[in-house]
Amino acid sequence: MALVDSFIAIDLETTGLKCGSDKIMEIALIKYENGIDKDKFTTLINPGVAISESVTGLTGIDADMVKDAPYISDVIDEVWDFIGNDILVGHNLMFDYSFLKKAMVNSGKSFEKYGIDTLKLARILLTDLEHKNLDYVCRYFDIKDDNHHRAFNDARAAAELLYKLYDKFGEEHDDLFKAGKLEFKVKKEGPITAHQLERIRGLLKKHGIEPDYEPEKLTKNEASRKIDKIYLQYGRL
């Protein structure tokens, strides 16, 4: 078995590590065919929530950069069309897949994909390497990644890492480079209801709260948690 001819290298930057509560703030997709990058889709995303100083320090992405960017719902159809039937490749791929699948499901799309995780390969094949994070492994293979923790650079680095790993280990461990089914279950979250939006706006106004999120962009479950948090801290209307 040879390495797959065509794939999409993917990387996301997010406001945090929890798919259930954190949001996408940058997405990069690069289509590779026979070792050549043929096309790309990359954009900043307005997450609709605050970006912490620690995340800005790590990624360089701040609120000003995303304030005029599209929301994930605005570009999800383009992302869907770009990926098509290709498999996905990424470093710690399940992280990116979980966030993207949640966005897909919330938009009414089924998103069942196959993929190759270069982090998983590194853990199996580079047992003597002290660390397996993308930056460290790229330095080991002399892969250039000038702007680590930005989506496009990390997506491209993951693709180059896949080729490096296959060149070094593919002949002996060909079976490890087969794409596997990505398993992640997520339920569709409905948008905030009119009643919830009215309630949140009333609570924010009464208590003089300046929110670090956009109420109208909350899901139904997120809105419920926000309302409960305000009740707990300030009391009911």
Side-chain angles (χ1 to χ4, degrees):
M1 182 195 81
L3 186 63
V4 62
D5 293 333
S6 176
F7 63 83
I8 301 290
I10 181 174
D11 190 77
L12 306 180
E13 300 302 332
T14 64
T15 60
L17 302 178
K18 297 180 180 179
C19 171
S21 56
D22 291 308
K23 305 292 182 180
I24 298 170
M25 60 182 191
E26 187 176 35
I27 181 169
L29 306 166
I30 310 172
K31 183 175 180 62
Y32 284 82
E33 292 180 359
N34 298 311
I36 300 173
D37 53 325
K38 291 288 190 178
D39 200 1
K40 66 180 181 180
F41 176 92
T42 181
T43 182
L44 288 166
I45 298 291
N46 188 331
V49 299
I51 299 174
S52 69
E53 290 184 4
S54 60
V55 169
T56 295
L58 184 66
T59 65
I61 300 173
D62 60 24
D64 284 341
M65 292 173 62
V66 301
K67 65 181 181 180
D68 296 322
Y71 295 97
I72 188 63
S73 58
D74 296 330
V75 299
I76 201 69
D77 288 341
E78 292 179 76
V79 173
W80 169 269
D81 291 339
F82 189 92
I83 293 175
N85 294 320
D86 273 315
I87 70 165
L88 301 176
V89 168
H91 202 75
N92 195 15
L93 179 58
M94 284 305 300
F95 176 85
D96 302 293
Y97 179 66
S98 65
F99 274 84
L100 189 53
K101 183 169 183 177
K102 180 183 175 184
M104 289 286 185
V105 169
N106 283 346
S107 71
K109 301 179 186 300
S110 175
F111 194 62
E112 303 299 328
K113 303 301 293 182
Y114 284 77
I116 300 173
D117 187 348
T118 54
L119 174 60
K120 181 179 179 181
L121 289 173
R123 286 172 172 167
I124 295 172
L125 299 171
L126 302 173
T127 54
D128 293 335
L129 208 60
E130 183 179 3
H131 304 292
K132 310 301 188 297
N133 60 70
L134 184 60
D135 186 39
Y136 196 90
V137 180
C138 281
R139 288 200 302 270
Y140 174 79
F141 279 108
D142 198 27
I143 296 171
K144 189 175 181 180
D145 187 0
D146 291 333
N147 201 357
H148 187 46
H149 287 302
R150 288 302 300 269
F152 179 79
N153 298 74
D154 285 356
R156 181 175 57 190
E160 293 184 23
L161 175 58
L162 176 64
Y163 288 121
K164 292 282 189 180
L165 288 168
Y166 190 78
D167 286 345
K168 187 176 180 66
F169 299 104
E171 184 174 347
E172 184 178 357
H173 299 282
D174 194 72
D175 58 312
L176 293 178
F177 292 84
K178 181 179 179 181
K181 193 174 190 315
L182 303 176
E183 301 283 359
F184 180 76
K185 293 183 179 181
V186 59
K187 293 182 179 179
K188 183 176 181 179
E189 296 180 330
I192 187 171
T193 67
H195 176 73
Q196 286 178 316
L197 185 56
E198 181 181 6
R199 179 56 59 90
I200 282 184
R201 284 174 173 167
L203 287 166
L204 294 174
K205 183 178 180 179
K206 176 180 179 179
H207 299 296
I209 303 169
E210 188 65 36
D212 59 0
Y213 55 88
E214 299 178 37
E216 63 275 9
K217 293 297 181 180
L218 296 173
T219 67
K220 186 177 179 180
N221 289 342
E222 288 171 342
S224 180
R225 290 194 292 269
K226 296 291 187 187
I227 291 170
D228 287 344
K229 185 176 181 180
I230 296 173
Y231 282 163
L232 183 63
Q233 188 170 356
Y234 296 96
R236 295 175 177 266
L237 282 173

